[in-house]
Amino acid sequence: MTKERGGLVAGNWKDVNMTVKRSLDWGSDFGSLVTKTTLNPALQLILFPPFLVTYPLKQRLFESEATKKMMDDDYLALGAQDISPVEGEKTRVTGSHHPNLLKEVGMNHVLLGHSERRMHLGESDELIGRKLLMAIKYGITSILCVGETIEEYTAKKTKDVIRTQLSVLNPLSTDERKRMSVAYEPVWAIGTGKTPKADEANDVCGFIRKESGAGNVIYGGSVTPENAAEFFSKSEIDGGLPGGASENADKFFGIAQAASNLL
Ligand code: PGA
């Protein structure tokens, strides 16, 4: 991490875990933590909750003065796990999430290209690219996830795979690229407790920075409070995208603190 680029820690909550009740408890716990210990405001925190918990979670976060202030200052934000690729003026798409609706509930960030959506919902680079353009058109900031499978990793194809995934950025201007982030998430590291070595992740993040021109490049895949500082202290890694660990307020706070201490 560098002071100039600042840091970004985003929590990616899973629909199977984060029920409304659990999300509300998370909100209360996180409120108590940030009331006791403040984090460096040079750090941007984003939560990506399942859609249905967004609104009650936002209300809960507004109940604590500390989290309300963080949200008012846009230093803690809520983001969407999907966005409609269709403008909707002439075509309606049942079940999709129009950017105007996202903005209405205060979601000005979107997570795109997560490997679970690529794998289980068949999201292609073409579809991800359309979602990215929609986000840009409506002023929503994207975090694009890229990363290789274990087979591709073993065959040393990581950079080739990522170069192809980054082709969705081709239509973007230099400024549009700077305003977004890319998360390097090796598929084999997600939810497995396995990670690449920090130096290895740093090398790939450096490659992503050069190829993408993104404002922030972060690492995701089994990030924990224990390993976060090791990743974040690397020059090319501007923060993290924890999944499982972010579902626990103490652990998310620990990861955010590791980033906060480095800024
Ligand atoms: P994990 O998930 O931290 O549980 O590996 C990361 C993610 O889903 O983005």
Side-chain angles (χ1 to χ4, degrees):
M1 287 175 85
T2 64
K3 284 199 169 52
E4 303 74 60
R5 288 199 299 267
L8 167 62
V9 172
N12 183 23
W13 293 1
K14 309 293 160 126
D15 59 342
V16 285
N17 298 331
M18 296 308 272
T19 58
V20 174
K21 182 180 179 322
R22 204 173 145 189
S23 301
L24 292 179
D25 289 347
W26 191 104
S28 306
D29 294 346
F30 193 70
S32 311
L33 289 163
V34 292
T35 301
K36 277 186 244 139
T37 314
T38 49
L39 295 164
N40 189 334
L43 179 68
Q44 166 84 70
L45 295 176
I46 308 174
L47 296 175
F48 290 97
F51 275 112
L52 289 174
V53 306
T54 308
Y55 203 68
L57 173 68
K58 187 178 168 189
Q59 287 176 314
R60 177 60 54 92
L61 291 169
F62 268 53
E63 280 168 21
S64 143
E65 246 175 66
T67 39
K68 181 172 188 312
K69 174 144 182 28
M70 287 170 83
M71 293 186 80
D72 286 344
D73 295 347
D74 205 26
Y75 143 51
L76 170 65
L78 293 177
Q81 294 183 338
D82 193 24
I83 189 169
S84 175
V86 177
E87 190 102 40
E89 270 159 20
K90 294 202 185 86
T91 317
R92 306 284 186 251
V93 185
T94 297
S96 69
H97 295 88
H98 194 274
N100 280 336
L101 184 56
L102 301 183
K103 285 166 73 175
E104 192 185 359
V105 287
M107 295 170 129
N108 295 314
H109 301 267
V110 65
L111 197 60
L112 293 174
H114 193 280
S115 62
E116 289 160 4
R117 296 188 67 91
R118 292 179 191 264
M119 244 184 319
H120 304 302
L121 299 178
E123 283 205 1
S124 62
D125 287 327
E126 190 268 337
L127 179 60
I128 294 162
R130 284 167 57 209
K131 291 181 178 186
L132 179 63
L133 293 180
M134 272 292 270
I136 288 173
K137 182 161 183 189
Y138 284 84
I140 292 179
T141 309
S142 300
I143 299 181
L144 173 71
C145 302
V146 297
E148 79 288 357
T149 61
I150 190 64
E151 293 78 19
E152 292 159 345
Y153 175 76
T154 312
K156 300 196 185 317
K157 288 194 176 143
T158 298
K159 290 182 182 172
D160 292 339
V161 170
I162 290 176
R163 193 179 286 114
T164 304
Q165 292 170 332
L166 289 176
S167 66
V168 300
L169 305 184
N170 289 348
L172 273 56
S173 67
T174 308
D175 275 357
E176 286 166 342
R177 287 163 181 252
K178 262 201 204 115
R179 280 197 291 271
M180 63 174 291
S181 303
V182 178
Y184 170 45
E185 292 214 310
V187 179
W188 52 272
I190 298 176
T192 59
K194 292 186 192 137
T195 66
K197 294 213 164 52
D199 279 333
E200 215 178 336
N202 191 48
D203 175 58
V204 179
C205 287
F207 168 78
I208 291 173
R209 188 180 307 285
K210 279 203 202 87
E211 289 281 315
S212 68
N216 281 123
V217 181
I218 60 177
Y219 168 77
S222 297
V223 174
T224 62
E226 291 73 35
N227 65 20
E230 200 188 340
F231 283 109
F232 301 167
S233 59
K234 298 291 168 192
S235 60
E236 299 291 348
I237 302 179
D238 300 327
L241 180 62
S246 75
E247 294 173 344
N248 174 299
D250 282 300
K251 290 187 184 174
F252 184 70
F253 184 78
I255 294 168
Q257 225 174 6
S260 176
N261 292 340
L262 289 161
L263 290 171

